[in-house]
Amino acid sequence: MPVLPIVPDQAAPARDPRPGLAGLGGGELAAWFAERGEPAYRARQVSDAVWDRATTAVEDIRTLPAALRAALDAAFRLDTVGDTELRLSDGGLTEKGLHRLSDGALVESVLMHYPARGGQRERHTLCISSQAGCAVGCPFCATGELGFGRDLETAEIVDQVRHAARRLAADGRRLTNVVFMGMGEPLLNLDRVLAAVDALNDPRRFGLGARHITVSTSGVVPGIRRLTALGPPFTLAVSLHAARDPLRDVLVPLNRRWPVAEVVEAAREHAAATGRRVTYEATMIGGINDTETDARAMADLLRGDHAHVNLIPMNPVAHTPWTASPDEVIERFAAILGEAGVTATIRRNRGQEIGAACGQLAAERAGEPAPAVVARRRARLVDESAHALRGERSDEPVPAGVGE
Ligand code: SF4
């Protein structure tokens, strides 16, 4: 497992207050130049340079006079994301980036390469983070275990994309897809996520087609409704994991606030309004959510919908009592969905040996919790899932910060 340190670890400095240039709308930059008596085309020059893969420092923006470059550098950051570590796996097809932000917060992105196959062109898909940590607390997720750190700024989101695009450009390749499925719940940082999508989609900035952008949610119903009202035509992905409320209360704790039927209803409205198929994700956990009863419940829930289900074997996360479902169990699950007319794909888990499940690298840096803490967590999950499997709803509170 190659480990490539890009920048040595360092003590966390104070958060850099300068906004990131890639997160600014054209108007903000134009206003900054106007205040200095500069013409409006300066904003265009800077924006073009920011989105040029060759620009790595404000000093590279040679269309600006030196004095303006210095003033720009004092007011803004060209880069808000520092690569601390890049790990490769799957024979180089998966690249996991652990990024240190200016205040020391760690976030992850994963670049997955899919070689050309059959009539399909090669694809390069980047999975990005929208928050440092996550308040939702799904127990099978290393980020959920870390808890919530903070929302990312717009530039911190899009700079993950600029970094990956720059790495690809060095080999003459282009990023083809971006998915918001890394650390965090994107719809709990929705304003910044929407601004990031706008920057990625804008032909004069990153220029990625909306159909190549996927925003994932664990089921923040007001956020889904807001997206439906705004109507951006990107793909909505819903982390479903279970179709029965008692089990979903445990696997996706915000289900205690927005039950699964409400989530699917909101997703259905989104599909109807945008014409885009909704993707549902289900992490398959042996003996927990992979039974024929669960498959039938999911088939009943999604029957007749403009939807597709991805079944993903659980990544081995250290602090749960659970393991991935066996292949034949997932195949049976997919077959039951298929019999109900619900299409499903079994996805291979990329980069398991590099800890590619979201949050695993950051969790490694956070250090191993005390054995007693791990034992208590495992015992709680055994107890909660036993209740759920008896059909009892959770009486645990909605996680702080997700239910407003
Ligand atoms: S799976 Fe997603 S929503 Fe759940 S804790 Fe992890 S990052 Fe948050």
Side-chain angles (χ1 to χ4, degrees):
M1 179 179 68
V3 177
L4 309 178
I6 296 173
V7 174
D9 278 352
Q10 46 194 261
R15 188 162 167 184
D16 192 328
R18 294 172 301 158
L21 281 169
L24 298 182
E28 290 162 274
L29 212 42
W32 186 83
F33 279 113
E35 271 172 32
R36 279 151 191 82
E38 291 289 330
Y41 68 77
R42 291 291 188 207
R44 182 79 265 141
Q45 288 176 324
V46 171
S47 181
D48 287 348
V50 166
W51 294 99
D52 182 334
R53 316 286 188 263
T55 310
T56 57
V58 168
E59 193 50 31
D60 296 340
I61 310 177
R62 291 293 162 167
T63 47
L64 293 189
L68 261 186
R69 287 201 300 271
L72 192 73
D73 205 19
F76 302 104
R77 283 175 288 164
L78 182 68
D79 238 335
T80 57
V81 159
D83 267 341
T84 50
E85 187 178 316
L86 190 66
R87 291 192 191 179
L88 310 180
S89 91
D90 298 325
L93 290 178
T94 304
E95 303 177 20
K96 179 118 183 178
L98 178 66
H99 312 290
R100 184 182 291 276
L101 307 180
S102 70
D103 58 353
L106 293 172
V107 296
E108 300 177 7
S109 67
V110 185
L111 180 57
M112 292 160 285
H113 307 287
Y114 298 91
R117 212 172 48 186
Q120 273 202 331
R121 290 199 198 146
E122 68 173 13
R123 286 179 295 127
H124 306 284
T125 298
L126 184 71
C127 175
I128 57 174
S129 297
S130 55
Q131 297 178 314
C134 184
V136 178
C138 307
F140 53 83
C141 167
T143 302
E145 191 181 348
L146 285 172
F148 180 65
R150 67 170 172 88
D151 288 331
L152 297 197
E153 297 163 23
T154 303
E156 290 170 335
I157 299 171
V158 293
D159 281 346
Q160 297 168 58
V161 178
R162 290 174 58 246
H163 273 237
R166 196 181 304 147
R167 290 208 307 274
L168 284 165
D171 295 333
R173 299 181 292 178
R174 288 180 66 84
L175 194 63
T176 56
N177 298 77
V178 170
V179 297
F180 286 75
M181 291 185 180
M183 296 171 83
E185 163 52 62
L187 301 198
L188 292 178
N189 188 16
L190 188 49
D191 288 336
R192 280 133 167 193
V193 164
L194 283 172
V197 167
D198 203 38
L200 297 176
N201 185 221
D202 183 349
R204 298 206 66 174
R205 287 184 279 172
F206 194 71
L208 187 65
R211 284 165 187 270
H212 298 270
I213 300 171
T214 298
V215 176
S216 169
T217 180
S218 54
V220 180
V221 169
I224 299 174
R225 297 226 163 96
R226 199 174 144 207
L227 289 179
T228 304
L230 291 171
F234 51 71
T235 301
L236 178 69
V238 175
S239 301
L240 191 59
H241 305 306
R244 297 188 288 161
D245 278 322
L247 196 49
R248 199 164 186 275
D249 283 348
V250 176
L251 298 182
V252 189
L254 60 65
N255 192 75
R256 301 167 200 159
R257 173 70 181 80
W258 295 293
V260 68
E262 262 186 58
V263 175
V264 170
E265 184 54 33
R268 209 171 268 147
E269 287 163 10
H270 185 272
T274 61
R276 302 286 297 149
R277 185 176 79 168
V278 175
T279 302
Y280 290 95
E281 315 284 334
T283 293
M284 302 301 289
I285 308 172
I288 298 294
N289 64 348
D290 61 355
T291 65
E292 295 199 0
T293 306
D294 287 294
R296 291 204 180 86
M298 197 175 289
D300 288 344
L301 185 68
L302 302 180
R303 195 188 304 270
D305 281 2
H306 190 29
H308 182 83
V309 180
N310 288 321
L311 302 172
I312 308 148
M314 188 184 101
N315 242 312
V317 179
H319 306 139
T320 74
W322 305 325
T323 54
S325 307
D327 289 350
E328 62 277 12
V329 171
I330 304 180
E331 281 158 18
R332 177 75 190 124
F333 199 102
I336 291 171
L337 292 178
E339 285 158 17
V342 178
T343 60
T345 305
I346 300 171
R347 301 269 174 214
R348 196 170 67 81
N349 232 326
R350 275 293 189 98
Q352 272 195 3
E353 74 270 30
I354 53 166
C358 119
Q360 277 184 266
L361 294 189
E364 267 177 45
R365 292 297 177 89
E368 187 64 16
V373 172
V374 173
R376 268 202 305 278
R377 175 180 160 82
R378 287 198 170 123
R380 180 175 56 78
L381 289 174
V382 168
D383 187 46
E384 285 184 0
S385 48
H387 270 81
L389 293 173
R390 287 199 297 272
E392 296 161 15
R393 296 290 307 260
S394 170
D395 51 13
E396 292 292 319
V398 176
V402 305
E404 295 84 26

